[in-house]
Amino acid sequence: MTGRSSFLIVANRLAVDRTIEPDGTASWRRSPGGLVTAIAPVLQRRHGAWVGWHGAADERLKPFEHDGMELIPVPLTAEEVELYYEGFSNATLWPLYHDVVAPPVFEREMWECYRRVNERFAEAAAAAADDGAMVWVQDYQLQLVPAMLRKLRPDLRIGFFLHIPFPPVELFWRLPWRKDLVEGLLGADLVGFQLPGGASNFRMLCRRLLGLPYKGNEIFLDDRVVRTQAFPISVDFSALDTLVREPHIVARAKEIRVELGDPEHVLLGVDRLDYTKGIGQRLEAFGELLKDGSLSPGEAVFVQIATPSRERVDEYRRLRDDIELQVGRINGEHASLGYQPIQYFHQSYAHDELAALYLTADVMVVTPLRDGMNLVAKEYISCHHDLHGGLVLSEFAGAADELRQAYLVNPYDVEDVKRQMMSAMRATPHELARRMRTMRRRVSTYDVDRWASEFLTALESPASQPATRRSASWRSG
Ligand code: ADP
Ligand code: F6P
């Protein structure tokens, strides 16, 4: 390890998770979720370090290198995992920020622990950052870190990016600790959101809650200006595009189709097993298509990958039971010897296998009830240089703002989901190619590198002087 870094990522999770095998040996596995997918290639291309939790409780580890990244582990006790990670992050903030699709839990003990753990991350970042370093804090688990870090190290340039939606003022207002969270975020020089709507919700909140004026993208504090802006996150398009052209991936994709019984249509869902992802809604639509005869027996197979996630949080436990019951019911009604309409996997997958699955899929079904962006949708597009394949995409995913040529659906409307799934399956190759070409143009030009460099360029460039505050509007941006 080299000492202090001039570029730091601070995120709840490191890029890799420590897993203990049944025989007691420890190994590293890539952490789940879109944040790691997006940030890992950015850090690999820039020299810097990543401060984060390594995924195991009650264990202190020294900084180490992995896959070209310098990783600095932050320890969490079992109690902190329960109260800070499973509790305040994933039972309070996660549902609240995702349109309360599940009821958020408000508990003081969880909040206290969230504050304590954020302090620890801020201290770890302060110790790892070189003089005047650029520090990029990630996501809802660490919203207090920017202000805490500024207090410890006023010399740093601090950016924050929220990977999930920022809710409307009326929802955020319910939080008993709303003021602390907003003040925490305002410790950053630049606060980034997935969509312009999130940035504008935040500015509105700062005005209503703290009486802060803003103009355009800038919020005026007494002594500083905080910039707020949308930076839609993306994927490593060229890496995926190159990978799926490799002979072993092409061969594996063909093999998968054969293993699935060579149906006319392969539909695919790839998600963390999360109640925001609308997995139940898409399976219900597929089940109805089988039941009402729109799909003939054996015509289509739905592969649903449901990556294990937050398994000790009650809502996630219930969700797993519900989905597995639903899969069992649909398969029970429609399977025959040698044909199982839904292939369900509660497992993690290697990068190559996932790419082969994307390449196999004729229709990708992405139906979240609310999602900050959804990288799976963009990964699917990146894998189809053959211009084959239709994307069924929820209007409530951030990605729908960019991927207008998808088969857009309201996931709450089962008839709509059925209709669009059928349209994608029945579309002519010419129609699919027309849509896919436009979406690929978008994802290839606005890839993860562009996302990161636009954010970091904005973070580097100076904001207006606080004096401009006098001319700031109190009403609109
Ligand atoms: P979220 O961040 O909410 O999990 P995204 O769709 O934005 O949702 O990102 C999910 C990321 O996790 C994608 O990069 C996807 O490839 C990856 N992923 C999802 N399921 C698996 C799995 N079973 N194995 C490996 N990677 C997975
Ligand atoms: O992208 C949203 C996000 O919550 C990330 O912050 C997180 O790393 C990922 O999903 C996976 O969730 P978790 O870290 O809770 O497994």
Side-chain angles (χ1 to χ4, degrees):
M1 294 293 299
T2 52
R4 302 198 302 168
S5 297
S6 59
F7 178 59
L8 265 194
I9 296 289
V10 187
N12 170 56
R13 268 185 198 281
L14 288 177
V16 283
D17 253 359
R18 190 160 169 84
T19 49
I20 308 293
E21 308 297 336
D23 66 359
T25 53
S27 63
W28 293 105
R29 187 189 53 185
R30 190 190 173 91
S31 305
L35 187 153
V36 168
T37 302
I39 302 286
V42 173
L43 194 71
Q44 278 159 339
R45 278 169 213 161
R46 293 165 190 258
H47 294 292
W50 184 322
V51 175
W53 175 47
H54 53 277
D58 293 322
E59 189 184 38
R60 281 180 182 276
L61 294 180
K62 289 206 162 52
F64 61 101
E65 281 209 25
H66 183 93
D67 218 3
M69 293 175 283
E70 211 170 290
L71 305 178
I72 304 176
V74 175
L76 292 182
T77 64
E79 192 193 25
E80 287 165 349
V81 173
E82 189 186 330
L83 296 174
Y84 147 77
Y85 169 70
E86 294 165 348
F88 198 76
S89 297
N90 289 313
T92 307
L93 294 175
W94 181 267
L96 185 74
Y97 282 32
H98 285 89
D99 277 3
V100 291
V101 293
V105 173
F106 297 112
E107 277 187 23
R108 281 167 289 188
E109 212 189 354
M110 291 179 178
W111 161 251
E112 280 309 322
C113 189
Y114 180 84
R115 212 167 40 75
R116 237 179 11 256
V117 171
N118 271 241
E119 192 85 57
R120 184 172 314 142
F121 274 82
E123 283 161 7
D130 211 344
D131 295 343
M134 195 178 313
V135 181
W136 192 2
V137 183
Q138 309 289 328
D139 230 354
Y140 62 100
Q141 302 93 341
L142 301 178
Q143 291 176 92
L144 303 179
V145 169
M148 291 170 167
L149 187 55
R150 178 170 295 280
K151 210 162 159 203
L152 294 167
R153 291 286 306 274
D155 60 302
L156 301 176
R157 195 96 187 128
I158 304 171
F160 179 92
F161 185 78
L162 185 72
H163 291 251
I164 67 175
F166 193 82
V169 173
E170 310 79 67
L171 288 186
F172 192 89
W173 210 256
R174 296 184 192 181
L175 253 182
W177 310 280
R178 58 197 183 201
K179 209 160 160 263
D180 307 67
L181 282 171
V182 174
E183 285 171 349
L185 290 172
L186 288 172
D189 297 290
L190 172 66
V191 185
F193 298 87
Q194 299 279 21
L195 301 182
S200 113
N201 287 345
F202 180 68
R203 289 191 292 268
M204 205 84 84
L205 188 65
C206 289
R207 181 163 63 80
R208 293 248 315 255
L209 195 60
L210 304 174
L212 293 171
Y214 65 87
K215 187 175 187 187
N217 282 337
E218 297 183 326
I219 300 173
F220 296 87
L221 275 59
D222 285 339
D223 54 344
R224 291 189 306 117
V225 174
V226 177
R227 218 151 350 132
T228 55
Q229 203 178 315
F231 300 89
I233 202 167
S234 194
V235 295
D236 196 342
F237 179 90
S238 64
L240 282 165
D241 184 50
T242 308
L243 179 65
V244 288
R245 293 171 200 258
E246 285 193 17
H248 75 282
I249 302 288
V250 176
R252 178 64 191 136
K254 287 194 181 126
E255 205 174 82
I256 291 173
R257 185 173 282 277
V258 173
E259 282 170 10
L260 292 172
D262 202 10
E264 202 170 316
H265 309 286
V266 174
L267 294 90
L268 176 67
V270 175
D271 315 78
R272 277 184 307 97
L273 187 46
D274 193 298
Y275 53 82
T276 59
K277 299 290 183 183
I279 300 172
Q281 280 75 1
R282 80 184 68 141
L283 295 182
E284 184 186 348
F286 183 66
E288 286 195 14
L289 290 174
L290 292 168
K291 196 173 206 142
D292 66 20
S294 304
L295 287 172
S296 47
E299 186 183 353
V301 170
F302 200 122
V303 178
Q304 176 63 54
I305 311 251
T307 319
S309 183
R310 307 171 189 166
E311 292 188 279
R312 298 193 322 172
V313 180
D314 285 346
E315 287 287 344
Y316 289 76
R317 232 181 260 165
R318 274 197 288 277
L319 176 74
R320 182 173 178 189
D321 290 346
D322 291 350
I323 297 293
E324 292 181 358
L325 197 71
Q326 192 183 9
V327 169
R329 194 162 23 80
I330 296 171
N331 277 342
E333 279 172 27
H334 301 285
S336 55
L337 282 176
Y339 170 65
Q340 185 138 296
I342 301 177
Q343 301 274 340
Y344 169 83
F345 303 93
H346 184 245
Q347 297 162 23
S348 259
Y349 278 85
H351 204 53
D352 283 16
E353 182 71 0
L354 214 51
L357 276 160
Y358 286 138
L359 189 58
T360 312
D362 305 299
V363 179
M364 184 80 214
V365 190
V366 181
T367 52
L369 306 175
R370 173 61 74 198
D371 207 332
M373 177 53 62
N374 197 285
L375 294 186
V376 162
K378 291 186 173 181
E379 286 169 359
Y380 179 70
I381 299 299
S382 309
C383 289
H384 278 278
H385 60 88
D386 57 4
L387 302 185
H388 172 71
L391 171 65
V392 173
L393 178 63
S394 163
E395 294 162 349
F396 302 115
D401 269 29
E402 294 170 79
L403 306 177
R404 304 304 298 168
Q405 294 71 28
Y407 292 88
L408 294 173
V409 293
N410 172 0
Y412 293 97
D413 179 352
V414 67
E415 287 302 330
D416 192 28
V417 180
K418 285 167 66 180
R419 203 168 33 243
Q420 293 292 59
M421 274 161 68
M422 286 310 295
S423 300
M425 281 186 268
R426 302 282 185 249
T428 61
H430 177 264
E431 173 64 7
L432 292 177
R434 186 185 67 78
R435 291 171 181 255
M436 185 61 84
R437 197 175 293 115
T438 312
M439 292 191 285
R440 280 174 66 79
R441 209 172 298 133
R442 169 71 201 183
V443 182
S444 63
T445 35
Y446 207 104
D447 65 357
V448 71
D449 247 0
R450 171 126 178 228
W451 167 75
S453 65
E454 286 192 359
F455 185 95
L456 295 172
T457 305
L459 180 58
E460 269 162 352
S461 63
S464 313
Q465 292 306 305
T468 327
R469 174 182 181 137
R470 271 177 251 124
S471 63
S473 155
W474 284 82
R475 299 239 148 255
S476 63

